[in-house]
Amino acid sequence: RMGLAEGFWYHEYWLPPGATWEDMKGIPFPQPRDLLLCIPGALLLIVVRCIFERTIALPLGRRLGVSDKLRPKVQPNATLEGFYIQLGRTLKEEDLISLAKQSDLPVKNVETWFRHRRAQDRPRLIKKFCEASWRFTFYLTSFLSGLALLYDKPWFWDHTVCWLRFPQQPLLPALGWFYLLELSFYCSLVVTLPFDVKRKDFKEQIIHHIATITLIFVSYCANLVRFGTIVMLVHDASDYILELAKMLHYMKWKWVCEAVFIVFAVVFIISRLVLFPLITYYYFVTKFQLFLISCVINTFLMILQLLHIFWSYLIIQMIFGVILHGAKRKDARSDTEESDRSEAEDPAKNQ
């Protein structure tokens, strides 16, 4: 008789054909319970983020000249406010006429009230700058840490070594902590997502975070840590460049921002559309025996790849539209609401 826990961890699900959990005895093997530390880890990162944004990012942004235009305040109006909150922020023509009659105001005044009311809810540039600063700091730290951990590992340069004597590969403590840091960060992003500046690709972000968290958890439990750390490093390679471009955009350093964004686009496309599929599909699919968990991992890797293609399309579209044709800059992965007309949206996004 096999209990629920034993059934879940049945070796044929998690390990390649012929391998059992008994083969792991005497080897420092990843323990799933270790990943529970991501809960306090995520909470700690949220606290660190709040402190960082208030004590470092906010003063830095103000010193660098990041500021918002003054936004007109709307006159209190219960009728218009009720419609705005309950039924929507945009008006159809019939709604506009109806509200004008109900509030005894000219139609033009109602239009102006809604425009100013929407402006009040748009995120401030300084808030965007603080968020980008935090992500820039984390992604850069994560990328450099990953490089420091992997550059002297033979399987970093020769990916076939990732599968040498798998799954009997001892877990290096530093890689275990790196995994935990990444998992904690993405869990913290899920927690703060409703409170952060909402982007046009909000749904894609949710899908991305869920896929990433699933991949980190499953690959750790199956001792695919060597493969997983390389995949995470490939993702981190472009993220900090994007956040830097956003910061420069909020500072209104237009030409520097555009140059950094082009660098980001090149790194993103090479890392996500060339290196990522090469690492995942060529080595993982063609050189590896398939079993249940490897199929699960392949599925979520394909989800990430589809997101990479989607974002790459938006990035290329933006470069052609803005850089080559001189069109008005608009972020392919920008905030949901456009800011004041002088506040063009920031460049695209990640992983």
Side-chain angles (χ1 to χ4, degrees), residues 276-301:
F276 179 78
L278 178 65
I279 293 169
T280 56
Y281 304 120
Y282 179 71
Y283 289 105
F284 188 59
V285 176
T286 65
K287 304 293 184 181
F288 205 57
Q289 287 181 297
L290 291 179
F291 53 100
L292 180 62
I293 288 303
S294 71
C295 292
V296 171
I297 290 175
N298 282 333
T299 300
F300 281 94
L301 288 174

Side-chain angles (χ1 to χ4, degrees), residues 49-121:
R49 171 184 170 174
C50 291
I51 296 173
F52 173 86
E53 289 187 358
R54 291 190 179 188
T55 62
I56 298 177
L58 184 61
L60 177 64
R62 287 174 175 165
R63 183 175 291 272
L64 292 173
V66 179
S67 59
D68 296 281
K69 290 183 64 176
L70 291 176
R71 297 174 180 178
K73 293 184 178 180
V74 297
Q75 294 295 323
N77 188 306
T79 302
L80 301 184
E81 184 70 23
F83 184 94
Y84 178 84
I85 294 174
Q86 296 179 13
L87 300 177
R89 304 169 69 178
T90 55
L91 291 172
K92 297 179 181 178
E93 187 174 353
E94 57 268 26
D95 294 328
L96 187 62
I97 296 172
S98 174
L99 286 171
K101 292 179 179 178
Q102 292 178 44
S103 56
D104 196 25
L105 291 172
V107 171
K108 186 176 181 180
N109 287 17
V110 175
E111 283 183 307
T112 302
W113 189 96
F114 270 84
R115 186 171 64 254
H116 292 171
R117 183 65 180 83
R118 286 194 297 269
Q120 286 187 356
D121 283 352

Side-chain angles (χ1 to χ4, degrees), residues 2 15 21 44 86 91 94 103 105 118 146 196 206 211 214 223 240 274-275 289 294 303 305 311 324 334:
M2 186 180 293
L15 301 176
W21 296 117
L44 178 61
Q86 296 179 13
L91 291 172
E94 57 268 26
S103 56
L105 291 172
R118 286 194 297 269
D196 292 339
I206 293 175
T214 302
N223 201 23
Y240 68 92
V274 179
L275 294 180
Q289 287 181 297
S294 71
I303 291 173
Q305 188 63 70
W311 282 321
L324 299 185
S334 64

Side-chain angles (χ1 to χ4, degrees), residues 40 83 119 125 127 139 154 174 184 190 205 231 245 269 297 314 317 347:
F83 184 94
L125 271 187
K127 175 176 172 59
Y139 288 137
S184 298
V190 171
Q205 282 185 321
V231 170
I269 291 171
I297 290 175
L314 295 182
Q317 189 180 51

Side-chain angles (χ1 to χ4, degrees), residues 176-214:
W177 285 109
F178 182 72
Y179 247 74
L180 184 62
L181 176 65
E182 291 277 343
L183 181 59
S184 298
F185 177 71
Y186 282 103
C187 288
S188 73
L189 286 185
V190 171
V191 173
T192 60
L193 203 56
F195 310 102
D196 292 339
V197 174
K198 191 174 182 181
R199 314 233 169 234
K200 287 182 178 178
D201 62 344
F202 182 77
K203 293 179 181 178
E204 288 83 0
Q205 282 185 321
I206 293 175
I207 294 171
H208 173 270
H209 295 341
I210 292 173
T212 301
I213 290 171
T214 302

